[in-house]
């Protein structure tokens, strides 16, 4: 059963209990409604798991609509990347993405030069480099992958899923 269904059901039954109380229903009936509502809300709270965190690295990362569509279901934390200075993790400070991102999507703008963000190595997570203006086929080497954005958002999604499956193995 979906968590949101449990939340709505619990709220609905709780409201029903309040209506029964206002209508001066027998205490046993009100008690059953309140107990049922509490049980539904408790189950919903227990099943509440925050969505996994993806680190989006690069100045244009949050502006890429094709990539944004494929990361639904994840919490996205943006990071400007090496263009804003050295990675805080490499300097011994915590990552601005917060606790435990499961992967880093590093967007490399067309024509961009310089070092890639060291997220995968620094955080020990899979790193997928998405190259704007490139038709590069998906290339996976250990915890590192590269793919051209011109191949489509499904190819980027495949790269992400491949890297996350490899991490679980």
């Amino acid at each position: 059963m979906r968590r949101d269904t449990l939340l709505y059901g619990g709220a609905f039954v709780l409201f029903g209990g309040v209506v029964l109380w206002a209508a001066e229903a027998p205490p046993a009936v009100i008690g059953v409604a309140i107990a049922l509502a509490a049980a539904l809300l408790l189950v919903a709270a227990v099943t509440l798991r925050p969505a996994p965190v993806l680190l989006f690295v690069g100045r244009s990362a949050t502006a890429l609509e094709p990539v944004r569509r494929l990361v639904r279901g994840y919490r996205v934390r943006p990071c400007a990347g090496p263009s804003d200075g050295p990675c805080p993790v490499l300097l011994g400070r915590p990552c601005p993405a917060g606790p435990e991102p499961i992967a880093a999507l590093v967007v490399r703008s067309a024509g961009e030069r310089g070092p890639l963000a060291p997220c995968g190595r620094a955080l020990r997570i899979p790193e997928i480099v998405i190259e704007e203006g490139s038709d590069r086929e998906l290339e996976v080497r250990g915890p590192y992958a590269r793919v051209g954005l011109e191949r489509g958002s499904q190819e980027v999604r495949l790269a992400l899923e491949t890297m996350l499956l490899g991490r679980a193995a």
Side-chain angles (χ1 to χ4, degrees):
M1 186 175 285
R2 292 180 47 189
R3 180 179 47 90
D4 57 345
T5 304
L6 291 170
L7 286 171
Y8 291 134
F12 185 76
V13 173
L14 182 61
F15 179 73
V18 170
V19 169
L20 287 170
W21 171 77
E24 297 180 357
V29 174
I30 297 169
V32 168
I34 301 294
L36 180 59
L40 288 171
L41 293 172
L42 180 64
V43 170
V46 168
T47 61
L48 178 66
R49 279 181 241 114
V53 175
L54 286 179
L55 182 60
F56 246 41
V57 182
R59 291 221 177 267
S60 64
T62 55
L64 291 176
E65 188 56 35
V67 177
R68 290 180 64 138
R69 276 186 263 132
L70 71 90
V71 295
R72 286 192 180 118
Y74 294 94
R75 287 183 294 153
V76 175
R77 296 285 195 272
C79 177
S83 60
D84 269 6
C87 175
V89 174
L90 296 178
L91 298 175
R93 295 192 306 258
C95 177
E100 298 299 317
I102 61 167
L105 296 176
V106 179
V107 177
R108 185 100 165 167
S109 298
E112 185 177 335
R113 300 287 178 249
L116 287 170
C119 305
R121 183 182 41 154
L123 299 170
R124 296 183 190 101
I125 59 175
E127 180 172 344
I128 300 109
V129 177
I130 303 166
E131 298 176 345
E132 285 185 289
S134 170
D135 193 28
R136 176 191 289 255
E137 285 188 38
L138 174 59
E139 174 187 345
V140 178
R141 290 191 180 159
Y144 176 77
R146 285 181 97 122
V147 67
L149 186 59
E150 298 302 313
R151 298 198 69 81
S153 60
Q154 290 302 60
E155 190 77 7
V156 176
R157 179 70 167 193
L158 175 65
L160 177 61
E161 290 171 358
T162 300
M163 297 305 287
L164 292 178
L165 284 175
R167 183 177 188 211

